[in-house]
Amino acid sequence: MTESNYNEIMQLLCDRLSVLTNSDTQITPDMNMISQLSIDSIKLLNLIMEIEDTFDVSIPINALTDIHTVRELADLVHKIKSDS
Amino acid sequence: MNLLEKLDAAAVARKSLLPNGVGAFGIPIEEVFSATEARIGDRRVLLLGTNNYLGLTFAPECIRAAHEAIDKEGTGTTGSRMANGSYFGHRALEREFAEFYQCSSGIVFTTGYQANLGTISGLVGPGDTVLIDGDSHASIYDGCILSGADIIRFKHNDMVDMEKRLRRLGDRVETTLIIAEGIYSMLGDQAPLAEIVKLKNAYKCILLLDEAHSLGVLGETGQGLVEKTGLLKEVDFITGTFSKSLCSIGGFCVSNHPQLEQLRYISHPYIFTASPSPATIASTRAALVLLSKGSDLRKQLWANCTQLYSQLKETGYLLGPDPGPVIAAVLDTPQQALQLWQSLLEHNIYVNLILPPAAPEGKSLVRCSVNAAHTPEQIRYVGDTFAKLHSKI
């Protein structure tokens, strides 16, 4: 995967999180999705499924335990896509 | 927030679920009168919150067998089978389960939870993959976590999603274990086993089916979904529990793969725990005989299930897709579910309350477990009471 692919992932995540948080807050890569954006586990799983389909990957749920920020999620999706 | 403060926060959330001093979770049952009735507080209640599907908790054959085992072998084994040895009953029950499922071998675990924990963590490890249904029981999730394998979920009973995820695995399908359940505990629906088997064979994976809720309930001899669908030989590993239709405590795994035996030497949930007590094993053995010959019990169970499912559906409750012994009314909010649960208790009916995140898709459930010992009058009373309360939620 290229840098442009990474940017595509990050952009999609920010766009979707903006809709999910339903606020005017500017989403930035280092925001904590749970403590700052109040994304609950059900919303997060729905977001993950959408990301999986968009990039045709499966994200193991146990890999999500270390994911807190938007950037960490983008990095994980990028790594899985690169390895596939 | 320190460790103890975290528990305090959880306690505050829990206290909101204590209406009139009665907790919805772990409710104190003062006396048990029969397979269908007990006393909670001052109330004599109908039990629809147990998994006593064949109603065998007071079967004389099982009680007698348990008494005899205590007299002969004492109250407990006092340790693990690895260290303290395997009693005759442990080995006999393993043979009997293997024969019941026409398999070459079987292993007995101390609980049904440990059967999944021990089997899954013995079969897969780091670098392997488990592909599980999104509505899987906690014992399956915990077994997968213990294994260290990558855990991929597919949408509940969605074969298109499952196939998509198998395709994405590429070469990793070779070390992938698919896990499904005969009857799912939340909504009471069944796995589409024929389609799962088709995909399992196409991608050459291993399939484990948990028959915890379907053992004794489905199939002519009560084997479960494997018997109902005629797909027994297509499933690699079958797990299940003694704590539902068999009315004791424990679990099992059976297989025709000789490698199952190796789990005894690598599976921590099998090795590092005390083995089932002699009374538990003896009553389970007696119950397995009754279960396999229990086609009349199954007929009665299904008559009760169909009656209650139809009545609740006609009333307008949103239910799971299949009638069965697990009948769950799906409600939008925890408050609605709690109100219905409490009102049912005030009408002397005990059912289960299930709230998010345990319930699927953020919904809340009021779940009934029907059994063969319920009389048609008891079932009708439950259905009528649900109908009376429908407009109030």
Side-chain angles (χ1 to χ4, degrees):
Chain A
M1 279 200 95
T2 62
E3 193 177 331
S4 65
N5 293 131
Y6 182 84
N7 292 338
E8 192 188 339
I9 293 167
M10 181 62 84
Q11 188 59 53
L12 180 77
L13 278 177
C14 290
D15 290 348
R16 292 303 302 139
L17 285 166
S18 182
V19 173
L20 286 173
T21 51
N22 200 21
S23 74
D24 297 330
T25 311
Q26 177 72 35
I27 310 289
T28 58
D30 292 316
M31 278 181 160
N32 186 305
M33 290 183 286
I34 293 165
S35 63
Q36 288 180 276
L37 298 176
S38 302
I39 299 293
D40 64 29
S41 58
I42 292 168
K43 279 183 184 169
L44 183 61
L45 283 175
N46 288 337
L47 172 65
I48 294 292
M49 278 194 275
E50 193 180 330
I51 299 289
E52 287 177 324
D53 283 347
T54 303
F55 296 102
D56 199 27
V57 292
S58 289
I59 301 172
I61 57 172
N62 38 346
L64 293 171
T65 50
D66 297 329
I67 303 299
H68 305 287
T69 66
V70 183
R71 188 190 305 281
E72 285 166 350
L73 182 54
D75 289 348
L76 176 65
V77 175
H78 184 251
K79 180 179 183 313
I80 291 171
K81 185 69 184 165
S82 302
D83 292 345
S84 64
Chain B
M1 193 184 288
N2 68 29
L3 293 178
L4 297 177
E5 286 166 347
K6 281 188 207 173
L7 293 174
D8 288 340
V12 169
R14 191 179 63 82
K15 274 184 185 159
S16 69
L17 299 171
L18 291 169
N20 303 330
V22 177
F25 306 119
I27 196 162
I29 293 178
E30 309 299 343
E31 280 182 90
V32 179
F33 301 118
S34 69
T36 61
E37 292 185 80
R39 182 166 67 82
I40 292 176
D42 295 331
R43 297 176 184 282
R44 188 179 180 107
V45 299
L46 271 177
L47 292 173
L48 279 100
T50 71
N51 303 119
N52 186 8
Y53 299 134
L54 298 182
L56 294 175
T57 39
F58 287 85
E61 298 90 334
C62 301
I63 291 174
R64 193 164 49 243
H67 282 164
E68 286 171 7
I70 288 178
D71 289 342
K72 201 172 152 192
E73 297 181 305
T75 53
T77 64
T78 72
S80 73
R81 291 173 66 180
M82 187 70 93
N84 295 33
S86 293
Y87 285 21
F88 173 82
H90 296 132
R91 289 171 284 134
L93 183 56
E94 287 175 340
R95 279 194 304 275
E96 287 155 6
F97 260 109
E99 282 165 19
F100 179 61
Y101 280 107
Q102 298 148 44
C103 284
S104 56
S105 55
I107 297 183
V108 161
F109 292 84
T110 303
T111 67
Y113 176 84
Q114 284 168 300
N116 276 337
L117 221 61
T119 304
I120 296 166
S121 64
L123 288 173
V124 291
D128 301 330
T129 304
V130 277
L131 187 58
I132 64 173
D133 188 285
D135 279 7
S136 292
H137 188 261
S139 59
I140 292 174
Y141 276 100
D142 291 353
C144 294
I145 291 166
L146 181 64
S147 77
D150 285 345
I151 308 164
I152 309 275
R153 294 181 353 149
F154 58 91
K155 289 180 197 163
H156 176 54
N157 276 350
D158 185 332
M159 294 299 99
V160 173
D161 195 47
M162 182 178 161
E163 200 277 337
K164 188 166 61 186
R165 291 173 189 282
L166 280 166
R167 175 181 55 75
R168 287 174 186 164
L169 283 169
D171 293 341
R172 294 190 61 188
V173 289
E174 195 184 342
T175 53
T176 294
L177 175 68
I178 299 169
I179 305 176
E181 295 179 48
I183 290 179
Y184 285 91
S185 59
M186 290 292 110
L187 296 175
D189 48 347
Q190 299 168 24
L193 190 58
E195 295 169 71
I196 291 174
V197 163
K198 202 180 284 180
L199 286 172
K200 169 241 171 185
N201 288 334
Y203 283 89
K204 297 184 171 55
C205 299
I206 297 284
L207 172 62
L208 183 156
L209 185 70
D210 179 358
E211 296 272 24
H213 287 269
S214 37
L215 170 66
V217 168
L218 299 175
E220 180 57 29
T221 67
Q223 285 175 338
L225 189 61
V226 287
E227 188 174 24
K228 182 192 170 191
T229 55
L231 293 165
L232 174 62
K233 297 296 172 197
E234 299 287 344
V235 176
D236 297 279
F237 295 89
I238 297 170
T239 57
T241 180
F242 305 161
S243 60
K244 297 181 170 48
S245 287
L246 292 168
C247 298
S248 63
I249 182 168
F252 70 91
C253 178
V254 294
S255 178
N256 276 317
H257 293 292
Q259 291 87 348
L260 175 65
E261 284 298 314
Q262 293 310 307
L263 262 57
R264 295 185 196 277
Y265 308 100
I266 59 173
S267 171
H268 284 202
Y270 173 83
I271 299 168
F272 296 102
T273 194
S275 60
S277 72
T280 294
I281 292 290
S283 76
T284 306
R285 292 181 66 197
L288 185 58
V289 173
L290 298 177
L291 181 152
S292 63
K293 294 177 179 167
S295 52
D296 288 346
L297 290 173
R298 274 181 282 286
K299 271 185 202 146
Q300 185 56 51
L301 169 64
W302 278 96
N304 288 345
C305 299
T306 309
Q307 185 187 334
L308 186 59
Y309 187 90
S310 306
Q311 204 174 345
L312 265 54
K313 196 152 188 110
E314 278 165 22
T315 304
Y317 282 99
L318 177 61
L319 305 176
D322 302 325
V326 177
I327 301 174
V330 182
L331 297 147
D332 287 331
T333 67
Q335 290 74 21
Q336 285 176 317
L338 183 57
Q339 188 189 340
L340 178 58
W341 177 86
Q342 190 181 352
S343 299
L344 287 164
L345 191 59
E346 286 163 5
H347 285 78
N348 303 323
I349 298 168
Y350 173 64
V351 296
N352 299 135
L353 174 69
I354 300 166
L355 303 179
E361 295 176 4
K363 302 285 186 180
S364 296
L365 306 177
V366 170
R367 184 180 67 178
C368 304
S369 297
V370 179
N371 82 44
H374 286 125
T375 64
E377 292 72 30
Q378 288 175 328
I379 295 292
R380 197 170 305 116
Y381 173 72
V382 175
D384 289 346
T385 307
F386 263 93
K388 193 165 89 177
L389 297 172
H390 186 255
S391 60
K392 296 178 183 166
I393 51 172

